[in-house]
Structure formats: structure tokens, C-alpha cells
Amino acid sequence: MTNQPKTKLDKFGIAAALQEIAALMELKGGKYRFKAKAYNAGARSIQAVGNLDQLVAEDRLTSLPRVGDALASQIKQLYLTGESSVLKGLKAEFPVGIAELSTVPGLSVAKIKQLQDELGITSVAELRAAAEAGSIRNLKGFGAKTEQKLLEAVAANKTKPKPRLHLHHALNTGERIFDYLRSIDGIDQISFAGSLRRWEETVGTIDIVVSSKTPQALLNRFLGFPMVISHRLTDSNCTVELADGASVSLTAVTPKEFAATLLIQTGSTAHLEKLGQVSNVGKISSGRAPQSEEEIYRRLDMQYIPPELREDHGEIEAAFVGKLPEDLLSLDDIKGMVHCHTTYSDGKHSLAEMVAAAEAMGMKFITITDHSPTAFYAGGVSIDRLKRQWDEIAALQENVKIKILRGTESDIVASGKLDYPDRILEQFDVIVASIHSRYKMDKQKMTERIVTAMRQPVFKIWGHALGRLLQRRPPFECDVERILDVIAESRAAIEINGDPYRLDLEPRWVREGRKRKIKFVISVDAHSTGALNNVKFGVAMARRGWVRRGEVLNALSANGFAKTVRPV
Ligand SMILES: [Zn+2]
Ligand SMILES: [Zn+2]
């Protein structure tokens, strides 16, 4: 056995240093932008690693995903000495506080350096104080006007809403924090709370609730999490900003208080308010402390309400009379991976790799749905290449148990027609039809476009329905209710897309679809094997829309699914 080297920095500290390197390279710009991406990716790999000591001892850091020789050498340096030559070099190039100050519009690197050399300014707070005191106007090249502008910029920067985290980023960062907290002695229970536990599409603050016999000590230990850059501490809560831009709120209580605190921290506000109005919440705290949320709802004489449903959308009324669905969709119900791309179009992994990964997840079937020719920017598959793919699927099927369905993600072109001629469309096992272009049609035209598509008998699954990209592109304008009416008539299904940038169709429309008895598929829209894990986000959106197992086509057997979605 090799002697294990002594570490100066743990994996979180190393990750924080790699992120700092990435941030500085980003500031350098040009080709360093690409290097910055590599360092960020390396930071994520290191945070996730389980056996860092061993990897360093055996010189096997490059066996980690996204870690090459250069990165491995920096990680080793950080591990052994707590320092990195690359970080040192970058820090020498840039003035102190550059990362923070560069967020102020109008401040170039040269100006930041000048402010530092002449006034000793290293933070936004110091910049503001200096501007308010009128000491910036006297610097060469600044003047009173610039000083005023800087003050305004600092104020505007403060009021600008911070972008929210996409669900998968919030979850990743949250899990890193879980790892860290679990390594602390005396920790009892730990859970996500807030919007992350309710699986909202985006997360403003990662809420976590923990219990311990010494909650205050635990909060103090949390401040040692290496990515923390600022914090606010009270008796039972610590809210921090992390180097990767996430805000985290950690609430620490004694074991007795855990269940009630978790319920309150999970919210939503609307759910808690309604609970307070219609039930005798005094029962929660009378007598012995409740052991679990299940026990709390029981004391209130109602069914347990899963976090995804806690929005005051009728769940409390239903729980009182025992009408909350017991068969809400769960991850275990999913038997097939729907909507998978391969290297035939814009996927990262080959047909064989995607199939193997789905099989390894225990799936009974997978639908291969590469882009159709109109989506030329995404490598849309020509008829020739499509036939080659069908041959490859047939050959591969001989060697695997999982059922491979040949499909397409066919564009709904502007006229509402589907891509590929009918004689080809009829030969698919499954067609997901999606809109990828001309998002800005007027409402009526867009509605007609989709309705026309849906009336075609081959149309069986409506892909990423309203085309939204979270925080980037709103859903397109159309008469959703009318479209849902037509879908109900034509017996097509709606995809609930698990790509964390889409999460489309949104829960309120899913509920409208359910009223019309429309079926759903939970899709992954996977462009890599890793993205098959998107299925959990799709399931969460479905649960938020109250979708039950029997309403989901890919909870059926491979044959049941294939029969239902067959184009003719
Ligand atoms: Zn698509
Ligand atoms: Zn797709």
C-alpha cells in the first residue's frame, strides 16, 4: 500500500480554487474563455469525487471525467500545498477584488487597478464609500461625472434581480453541501426544503433544514464550507452566497423541532396559509413533538401531501376528504426512455451508447428520435441516413434485451405539416412532433399551425409543447385551451419534457390537459447518456400537475407503449 500524502486542502477547497481560476480566466477573455470552461468542469468533477486521497496517492487524477494533465497537476498542487501556480500567476496579473469589482458596469481592468493603487479599493463596498466621499473624482481620467455614474451603477447592480438557478444546478450544488454537512459530527436529519424540495422549475435560494443536538455549532461549521464568500448568521439560520453564484439558506434546529420546521421551510406560503385557515394547527405542537411530516398531516386529520403538491391548488381540500391520488406518478413507474438523440443528429453519444445506458438504468424500451431534415442546424437526418440508422437499430436489437423503437423528432413546419413524406412517416414506430422555428408567429396563426399538425393521424406526441427556454425564451403565443381540445379529440399525447432548461409543458397546463383526459409521456430529450437522468425532472413536473401512473404512456410495457403511439 502506498503512503497517503497529507492534504492541505479538501475537495471543496480545491474546487473553490479551480472556480476562482476559471473566473479570472473568463476576465482575461479570448482563448482563456475555453480554459475557464475546463477549470469549471474540473471543479464539478472534484466536488463529486469520493476517493480523492487515493487518486492523488496513485497518481490517477486523470481518470476523472474532464480532468486532463494540466488540470490534474494543479489539483495535486492544491491538494499537497494548498496553492496553485496558475492561480498565483493570475492573481499577480489582476488587482485584488477583481472578480467582484468587474461586475460593476464601466469598470475596466485598468481602471480597477488604478482605483486600487491610488485609493486602496478592493471591493464594491469600498468603491461605493469612496464615491460617496467624493474621492474618486480627483483621480486622473475619472472626474465627477464618472464618479456619479459609478454610484448609479453600483446601486443598479444591487437592485438587479439575480438570475435563478436551473433545477439541476441547484440540485448539484445542494448535494455537494449535503456531502459536506454529513461529514460533520452530531448531525441528525437533513433535507432540502423550499422551492427545491417542491421541484419548482428554477430555484432562487437552496433551502436546507438540518437537526442536531447543537444546532448553533452546526451553523458555525457550515461557514467553513469552502465555497462560501459571504454570510448572514442568526440563532437558527445561516444564509450564504457561494462562489458559483448560488444562495443557500441553512436552518438548524434540535431533533424535536425538525418535522415542523421542515414543513414550514418547505412552504409554499400559499399552502401554509390555507393550512392555517382551514385546520387546527394547534394540534401540531400539542403534546409530544411530531416525528415526521406524515405525522403532522395525520394530526390535522388529512392525508399526507407530497411537497410537489403544496401550492394551494386544491390539495388541502382533497386531503381532508381522502381524495388525494394515491397513485401519483413516481420515478419507479417509468419503463421507457422517450425522446433520445444520437450522433445521427445533434446527440453526443452513439446509438449503441444511448441504448446501453438506457438498458443499464433498467428501462424496458427506448425511442430513438433524432431530428428531421428541416432542422438542418441540428443535423437533421436525411432519408438515406435514416435508413442506415434503421439497419443499425435492427442489428443492435439482436444483441440487447431493451426494445429499441425507431422514431423521429419531426419538425412541425410553418404550414403545420410534418417533415418527411408520408410514406416515410408511416414506417416509424413513434413520432414526436415539435416546433423549432418561427416562434414569433401571431397567436392565431400559431394555433392553426399546431392544430393542423395534430389533426394528422400520424401525430401522436407533442414535443416540448410551448417552446419555452427557462429564463431565456417565453412560451410562444397560442390558444392553449383550443389546442388541448383538439388533442383530446385526436387522442395524441403531450410530452412533459425533462430537459432542465425546458420543463415544458408547465404544470398548470398539464392540469388542464388532465381535465380533458389527455395522456402524457415523460421525456428526457437526451442529447447524451447523462441526460437520460432528466427523467427525474420530467416526473417531478408531472407530479406537480397531479399526473397519475395510469395517465402516462411510458409507464406502460414496451408493447403497450408501441401500440398506443404507432403512427398508423
Ligand atoms: Zn426539440
Ligand atoms: Zn429533442
Side-chain angles (χ1 to χ4, degrees), residues 339 341 371 409 434-436 464 502 525:
H339 194 157
H341 296 274
H371 287 286
E409 179 178 12
S434 316
I435 286 182
H436 290 119
H464 47 73
R502 293 187 179 273
D525 204 347

mmCIF file with all atom_site columns, all heavy atoms in Angstrom, residues 339 341 371 409 434-436 464 502 525, ligand 1:
data_model
loop_
_atom_site.group_PDB
_atom_site.id
_atom_site.type_symbol
_atom_site.label_atom_id
_atom_site.label_alt_id
_atom_site.label_comp_id
_atom_site.label_asym_id
_atom_site.label_entity_id
_atom_site.label_seq_id
_atom_site.pdbx_PDB_ins_code
_atom_site.Cartn_x
_atom_site.Cartn_y
_atom_site.Cartn_z
_atom_site.occupancy
_atom_site.B_iso_or_equiv
_atom_site.pdbx_formal_charge
_atom_site.auth_seq_id
_atom_site.auth_comp_id
_atom_site.auth_asym_id
_atom_site.auth_atom_id
_atom_site.pdbx_PDB_model_num
ATOM   1  N  N   . HIS A 1 339 ? -37.713 10.083 -26.426 1.00 0.00 ? 339 HIS A N   1
ATOM   2  C  CA  . HIS A 1 339 ? -37.115 11.299 -26.988 1.00 0.00 ? 339 HIS A CA  1
ATOM   3  C  C   . HIS A 1 339 ? -35.603 11.329 -26.735 1.00 0.00 ? 339 HIS A C   1
ATOM   4  O  O   . HIS A 1 339 ? -35.099 12.108 -25.933 1.00 0.00 ? 339 HIS A O   1
ATOM   5  C  CB  . HIS A 1 339 ? -37.797 12.547 -26.404 1.00 0.00 ? 339 HIS A CB  1
ATOM   6  C  CG  . HIS A 1 339 ? -37.501 13.818 -27.159 1.00 0.00 ? 339 HIS A CG  1
ATOM   7  N  ND1 . HIS A 1 339 ? -38.321 14.908 -27.121 1.00 0.00 ? 339 HIS A ND1 1
ATOM   8  C  CD2 . HIS A 1 339 ? -36.461 14.173 -27.961 1.00 0.00 ? 339 HIS A CD2 1
ATOM   9  C  CE1 . HIS A 1 339 ? -37.799 15.877 -27.858 1.00 0.00 ? 339 HIS A CE1 1
ATOM   10 N  NE2 . HIS A 1 339 ? -36.669 15.450 -28.378 1.00 0.00 ? 339 HIS A NE2 1
ATOM   11 N  N   . HIS A 1 341 ? -31.751 11.573 -28.596 1.00 0.00 ? 341 HIS A N   1
ATOM   12 C  CA  . HIS A 1 341 ? -30.954 11.931 -29.772 1.00 0.00 ? 341 HIS A CA  1
ATOM   13 C  C   . HIS A 1 341 ? -29.647 11.146 -29.753 1.00 0.00 ? 341 HIS A C   1
ATOM   14 O  O   . HIS A 1 341 ? -29.156 10.756 -28.698 1.00 0.00 ? 341 HIS A O   1
ATOM   15 C  CB  . HIS A 1 341 ? -30.661 13.428 -29.778 1.00 0.00 ? 341 HIS A CB  1
ATOM   16 C  CG  . HIS A 1 341 ? -31.894 14.269 -29.898 1.00 0.00 ? 341 HIS A CG  1
ATOM   17 N  ND1 . HIS A 1 341 ? -32.443 14.595 -31.110 1.00 0.00 ? 341 HIS A ND1 1
ATOM   18 C  CD2 . HIS A 1 341 ? -32.711 14.817 -28.960 1.00 0.00 ? 341 HIS A CD2 1
ATOM   19 C  CE1 . HIS A 1 341 ? -33.532 15.336 -30.915 1.00 0.00 ? 341 HIS A CE1 1
ATOM   20 N  NE2 . HIS A 1 341 ? -33.716 15.477 -29.618 1.00 0.00 ? 341 HIS A NE2 1
ATOM   21 N  N   . HIS A 1 371 ? -33.360 14.411 -35.058 1.00 0.00 ? 371 HIS A N   1
ATOM   22 C  CA  . HIS A 1 371 ? -34.051 15.496 -35.743 1.00 0.00 ? 371 HIS A CA  1
ATOM   23 C  C   . HIS A 1 371 ? -34.359 15.153 -37.199 1.00 0.00 ? 371 HIS A C   1
ATOM   24 O  O   . HIS A 1 371 ? -33.664 14.361 -37.825 1.00 0.00 ? 371 HIS A O   1
ATOM   25 C  CB  . HIS A 1 371 ? -33.211 16.776 -35.683 1.00 0.00 ? 371 HIS A CB  1
ATOM   26 C  CG  . HIS A 1 371 ? -33.191 17.405 -34.325 1.00 0.00 ? 371 HIS A CG  1
ATOM   27 N  ND1 . HIS A 1 371 ? -34.265 18.093 -33.811 1.00 0.00 ? 371 HIS A ND1 1
ATOM   28 C  CD2 . HIS A 1 371 ? -32.237 17.437 -33.366 1.00 0.00 ? 371 HIS A CD2 1
ATOM   29 C  CE1 . HIS A 1 371 ? -33.964 18.516 -32.590 1.00 0.00 ? 371 HIS A CE1 1
ATOM   30 N  NE2 . HIS A 1 371 ? -32.744 18.136 -32.294 1.00 0.00 ? 371 HIS A NE2 1
ATOM   31 N  N   . GLU A 1 409 ? -37.864 13.033 -34.165 1.00 0.00 ? 409 GLU A N   1
ATOM   32 C  CA  . GLU A 1 409 ? -38.427 14.265 -33.653 1.00 0.00 ? 409 GLU A CA  1
ATOM   33 C  C   . GLU A 1 409 ? -38.653 15.101 -34.900 1.00 0.00 ? 409 GLU A C   1
ATOM   34 O  O   . GLU A 1 409 ? -37.755 15.780 -35.391 1.00 0.00 ? 409 GLU A O   1
ATOM   35 C  CB  . GLU A 1 409 ? -37.499 14.990 -32.675 1.00 0.00 ? 409 GLU A CB  1
ATOM   36 C  CG  . GLU A 1 409 ? -38.143 16.286 -32.183 1.00 0.00 ? 409 GLU A CG  1
ATOM   37 C  CD  . GLU A 1 409 ? -37.305 17.064 -31.169 1.00 0.00 ? 409 GLU A CD  1
ATOM   38 O  OE1 . GLU A 1 409 ? -36.119 16.746 -30.993 1.00 0.00 ? 409 GLU A OE1 1
ATOM   39 O  OE2 . GLU A 1 409 ? -37.857 18.008 -30.568 1.00 0.00 ? 409 GLU A OE2 1
ATOM   40 N  N   . SER A 1 434 ? -42.367 18.463 -32.996 1.00 0.00 ? 434 SER A N   1
ATOM   41 C  CA  . SER A 1 434 ? -42.026 19.663 -32.220 1.00 0.00 ? 434 SER A CA  1
ATOM   42 C  C   . SER A 1 434 ? -41.848 20.868 -33.133 1.00 0.00 ? 434 SER A C   1
ATOM   43 O  O   . SER A 1 434 ? -41.565 20.730 -34.312 1.00 0.00 ? 434 SER A O   1
ATOM   44 C  CB  . SER A 1 434 ? -40.696 19.481 -31.473 1.00 0.00 ? 434 SER A CB  1
ATOM   45 O  OG  . SER A 1 434 ? -40.599 18.228 -30.865 1.00 0.00 ? 434 SER A OG  1
ATOM   46 N  N   . ILE A 1 435 ? -41.955 22.045 -32.525 1.00 0.00 ? 435 ILE A N   1
ATOM   47 C  CA  . ILE A 1 435 ? -41.681 23.290 -33.244 1.00 0.00 ? 435 ILE A CA  1
ATOM   48 C  C   . ILE A 1 435 ? -40.276 23.765 -32.883 1.00 0.00 ? 435 ILE A C   1
ATOM   49 O  O   . ILE A 1 435 ? -39.919 23.837 -31.706 1.00 0.00 ? 435 ILE A O   1
ATOM   50 C  CB  . ILE A 1 435 ? -42.741 24.346 -32.877 1.00 0.00 ? 435 ILE A CB  1
ATOM   51 C  CG1 . ILE A 1 435 ? -44.045 23.974 -33.590 1.00 0.00 ? 435 ILE A CG1 1
ATOM   52 C  CG2 . ILE A 1 435 ? -42.270 25.752 -33.252 1.00 0.00 ? 435 ILE A CG2 1
ATOM   53 C  CD1 . ILE A 1 435 ? -45.175 24.928 -33.378 1.00 0.00 ? 435 ILE A CD1 1
ATOM   54 N  N   . HIS A 1 436 ? -39.461 24.031 -33.928 1.00 0.00 ? 436 HIS A N   1
ATOM   55 C  CA  . HIS A 1 436 ? -38.094 24.501 -33.690 1.00 0.00 ? 436 HIS A CA  1
ATOM   56 C  C   . HIS A 1 436 ? -37.798 25.809 -34.415 1.00 0.00 ? 436 HIS A C   1
ATOM   57 O  O   . HIS A 1 436 ? -36.665 26.279 -34.397 1.00 0.00 ? 436 HIS A O   1
ATOM   58 C  CB  . HIS A 1 436 ? -37.069 23.460 -34.179 1.00 0.00 ? 436 HIS A CB  1
ATOM   59 C  CG  . HIS A 1 436 ? -37.035 22.228 -33.344 1.00 0.00 ? 436 HIS A CG  1
ATOM   60 N  ND1 . HIS A 1 436 ? -37.317 20.984 -33.841 1.00 0.00 ? 436 HIS A ND1 1
ATOM   61 C  CD2 . HIS A 1 436 ? -36.758 22.036 -32.036 1.00 0.00 ? 436 HIS A CD2 1
ATOM   62 C  CE1 . HIS A 1 436 ? -37.214 20.081 -32.868 1.00 0.00 ? 436 HIS A CE1 1
ATOM   63 N  NE2 . HIS A 1 436 ? -36.877 20.698 -31.773 1.00 0.00 ? 436 HIS A NE2 1
ATOM   64 N  N   . HIS A 1 464 ? -41.889 19.105 -26.511 1.00 0.00 ? 464 HIS A N   1
ATOM   65 C  CA  . HIS A 1 464 ? -41.677 20.389 -25.781 1.00 0.00 ? 464 HIS A CA  1
ATOM   66 C  C   . HIS A 1 464 ? -42.670 21.465 -26.231 1.00 0.00 ? 464 HIS A C   1
ATOM   67 O  O   . HIS A 1 464 ? -42.337 22.451 -26.898 1.00 0.00 ? 464 HIS A O   1
ATOM   68 C  CB  . HIS A 1 464 ? -40.235 20.885 -25.821 1.00 0.00 ? 464 HIS A CB  1
ATOM   69 C  CG  . HIS A 1 464 ? -39.536 20.880 -27.147 1.00 0.00 ? 464 HIS A CG  1
ATOM   70 N  ND1 . HIS A 1 464 ? -39.835 21.774 -28.123 1.00 0.00 ? 464 HIS A ND1 1
ATOM   71 C  CD2 . HIS A 1 464 ? -38.553 20.097 -27.626 1.00 0.00 ? 464 HIS A CD2 1
ATOM   72 C  CE1 . HIS A 1 464 ? -39.047 21.548 -29.164 1.00 0.00 ? 464 HIS A CE1 1
ATOM   73 N  NE2 . HIS A 1 464 ? -38.261 20.536 -28.890 1.00 0.00 ? 464 HIS A NE2 1
ATOM   74 N  N   . ARG A 1 502 ? -35.929 23.340 -20.247 1.00 0.00 ? 502 ARG A N   1
ATOM   75 C  CA  . ARG A 1 502 ? -37.257 23.455 -20.857 1.00 0.00 ? 502 ARG A CA  1
ATOM   76 C  C   . ARG A 1 502 ? -38.385 23.220 -19.849 1.00 0.00 ? 502 ARG A C   1
ATOM   77 O  O   . ARG A 1 502 ? -39.203 24.080 -19.610 1.00 0.00 ? 502 ARG A O   1
ATOM   78 C  CB  . ARG A 1 502 ? -37.382 22.438 -22.003 1.00 0.00 ? 502 ARG A CB  1
ATOM   79 C  CG  . ARG A 1 502 ? -36.483 22.729 -23.187 1.00 0.00 ? 502 ARG A CG  1
ATOM   80 C  CD  . ARG A 1 502 ? -36.826 21.767 -24.327 1.00 0.00 ? 502 ARG A CD  1
ATOM   81 N  NE  . ARG A 1 502 ? -36.033 21.976 -25.526 1.00 0.00 ? 502 ARG A NE  1
ATOM   82 C  CZ  . ARG A 1 502 ? -36.328 22.825 -26.499 1.00 0.00 ? 502 ARG A CZ  1
ATOM   83 N  NH1 . ARG A 1 502 ? -37.427 23.544 -26.427 1.00 0.00 ? 502 ARG A NH1 1
ATOM   84 N  NH2 . ARG A 1 502 ? -35.545 22.940 -27.550 1.00 0.00 ? 502 ARG A NH2 1
ATOM   85 N  N   . ASP A 1 525 ? -35.579 14.134 -23.667 1.00 0.00 ? 525 ASP A N   1
ATOM   86 C  CA  . ASP A 1 525 ? -34.943 14.989 -24.675 1.00 0.00 ? 525 ASP A CA  1
ATOM   87 C  C   . ASP A 1 525 ? -33.425 14.916 -24.511 1.00 0.00 ? 525 ASP A C   1
ATOM   88 O  O   . ASP A 1 525 ? -32.729 15.936 -24.461 1.00 0.00 ? 525 ASP A O   1
ATOM   89 C  CB  . ASP A 1 525 ? -35.431 16.436 -24.557 1.00 0.00 ? 525 ASP A CB  1
ATOM   90 C  CG  . ASP A 1 525 ? -35.274 17.210 -25.870 1.00 0.00 ? 525 ASP A CG  1
ATOM   91 O  OD1 . ASP A 1 525 ? -34.567 16.714 -26.772 1.00 0.00 ? 525 ASP A OD1 1
ATOM   92 O  OD2 . ASP A 1 525 ? -35.857 18.307 -25.987 1.00 0.00 ? 525 ASP A OD2 1
HETATM 93 ZN ZN  . ZN  B 2 .   ? -36.695 19.575 -29.978 1.00 0.00 ? 1   ZN  B ZN  1
#
